Amino acid sequence: MARSTETPYAIETRALCRVFTRVSEGKGRVVRWPGSRRGEGGPVRQQIQALDRVNLTVHTGEVFGLLGPNGAGKTTLIKVLATLLLPTSGEARVLGLDVVTDPVAVRERVGVVSGGEVSGYGILTVRENLWLFSQLHGIPSREARGRIDELLRAFGLWEYRDTRMSRLSTGFRQRLNVARGFVSDPDVLFLDEPTLGLDVEVARTIRAHVREWVSTRPGRTVLLTTHYMLEADELCDRVAVIDRGRIVACDTPAALKRLLATDVMLRLRTTLPPAAGDGERDGAVRRLETILSGQPGVRQVSARLRPSDGSVELFLLLADDAGVGGVLGAIESTGGRVLELHKPEPTLEDVFLKLVGRRLDEGSNGAGES
Ligand SMILES: Nc1ncnc2c1ncn2[C@@H]1O[C@H](COP(=O)(O)OP(=O)(O)OP(=O)(O)O)[C@@H](O)[C@H]1O
C-alpha cells in the first residue's frame, strides 16, 4: 500500500487485538492440548488477550504515553506497531502505512528502543556502536558523524566515546541503548520503558532529550511506555491508560487529573487492629479494606501494609467531605488508630486507581486471560 500523505495521525489503530496462546503443564482454565486425556493433568492451552480492541490515534508531533502495570499489553502494542508481531485482528497504521501489508516501509521510518534490553557489540567502542547503527540505516557519513557527536554529548557519553561497550557500567550501556534510537532520526520512535532502572539524574537527561528532539524536529512523534507516573505526567502530551489489553482512558495528564476534581481523596496511615498476629496481617488489611468499602460515600479503597513499621497505608476516594467522619469511625471500630491523614491534590496515580481499581504497582494479574 502506498504511503498516505492525508493522515494527520502518526499512529492509528482500530479494534486491534492480539491473542497469545500459552501452553503450560498442570491445571488450566481453557482448552486441553490435543492428545492429552481428560483428568490426566497434561499440557493445557491458555488464550491470553494481550490487546483487546484497541482504538488509538496519536498525532504527528506528539509525545504519547502508554501507562499501565506489568502485563497490561504495552510491549505487545509497540511490537505490533513496529511490525515485530502480527496482530490477531483489527488494523494498525503508522504514518498512514498498514503494518501488516506494508511492513518494510514502516520499518524504514520507525525506531524502537527497549529500556530493559541492551543492544550493541561489546567489542566496539561507544562511538563505533553508534556509527555501525547509523550505517545500517544508510545515513550519509557526514550527517552521521555530526549526529553521533550530538548524541554523545546529550547522553553524557562524550567522555566514554572511545571506551569499549563491554567496559561500560550497566547505566552507561542503557544510555547508549537509548541514544542508538535517535541515530536514524526516525519519524516515529517507540520507547519501551526507556528509563527502566536508571537513576533519577539519567532518567531526567533522557526525558529532556526526548522533549527537545520532538520540539526541534517537526514531524517527529514518540510513543513511549512507562509505569512511572512522573514520567507520563512530565513528558507526555497525552496519555492512554491501558489495563489488561484495553485502553481505559486517553487524554492529557491535566484532563485525566480533572476526572477526579469532584472526588475527595484521603491518604491515611493507621495501626493494624491489635489482635492481628504476624500471620494474619494481610487478612486484617483486606478486612479493613472491605469494611471501609462499605461506608457511605466511599467510592474506592486501597490498603497496603508497610513492612517497615507494620502500619497500614490507606488510599480512599470519597464522593464528598461528608464521608470522612464515617471512615474515621470505621477505622476506630476495628481497633485501629489513625496515625496520619492527608488530603492531597490528585496525581496520575490516583487517576489510575480510580479507572482501574488498583494501584499501578499491583500488576495486571495476567492480561485478559480466558
Ligand atoms: N510471546 C508471548 N507468549 C505468551 N504470552 C505473552 C507473550 N508476550 C506477551 N504475553 C502476555 O501478554 C500480556 C501482555 O504482555 P506485555 O509484555 O505486552 O505487557 P506489558 O504491559 O508490556 O508489561 P511489562 O511492563 O511487564 O513489560 C501478558 O499477560 C504477557 O504474559
Side-chain angles (χ1 to χ4, degrees), residues 20-22 48-50 68-77 79 85 192-193 225 227 242 366-369:
F20 289 108
T21 302
R22 193 184 284 158
I48 296 157
Q49 183 93 37
N70 290 336
K74 306 181 295 294
T75 303
T76 304
L77 182 54
K79 284 188 173 166
L85 263 182
D192 195 3
E193 301 277 358
T225 74
H227 52 259
I242 182 166
E369 293 182 15

Side-chain angles (χ1 to χ4, degrees), residues 43-175:
V44 287
R45 285 200 325 177
Q46 199 175 22
Q47 302 284 321
I48 296 157
Q49 183 93 37
L51 295 177
D52 191 359
R53 288 158 288 160
V54 170
N55 294 312
L56 203 64
T57 44
V58 178
H59 297 94
T60 302
E62 270 192 308
V63 178
F64 190 94
L66 278 176
L67 183 69
N70 290 336
K74 306 181 295 294
T75 303
T76 304
L77 182 54
I78 282 199
K79 284 188 173 166
V80 169
L81 294 171
T83 75
L84 301 171
L85 263 182
L86 282 169
T88 307
S89 62
E91 270 180 56
R93 284 170 193 276
V94 176
L95 300 157
L97 300 160
D98 189 301
V99 297
V100 176
T101 58
D102 226 349
V104 176
V106 173
R107 273 175 225 155
E108 280 170 7
R109 302 187 56 197
V110 305
V112 187
V113 169
S114 177
E117 290 166 14
V118 173
S119 54
Y121 296 90
I123 198 169
L124 301 181
T125 67
V126 168
R127 196 204 282 273
E128 285 166 347
N129 265 294
L130 294 177
W131 177 256
L132 175 69
F133 283 107
S134 76
Q135 296 314 290
L136 290 175
H137 283 283
I139 319 271
S141 308
R142 225 172 120 187
E143 195 181 328
R145 255 183 241 117
R147 200 177 291 160
I148 288 170
D149 282 359
E150 247 176 61
L151 290 169
L152 288 170
R153 290 198 168 90
F155 284 86
L157 288 163
W158 184 253
E159 224 184 294
Y160 301 92
R161 61 193 182 280
D162 296 320
T163 305
R164 280 190 185 180
M165 197 184 99
S166 57
R167 301 250 163 99
L168 293 179
S169 67
T170 310
F172 276 92
R173 280 188 209 189
Q174 277 178 289
R175 289 184 200 212

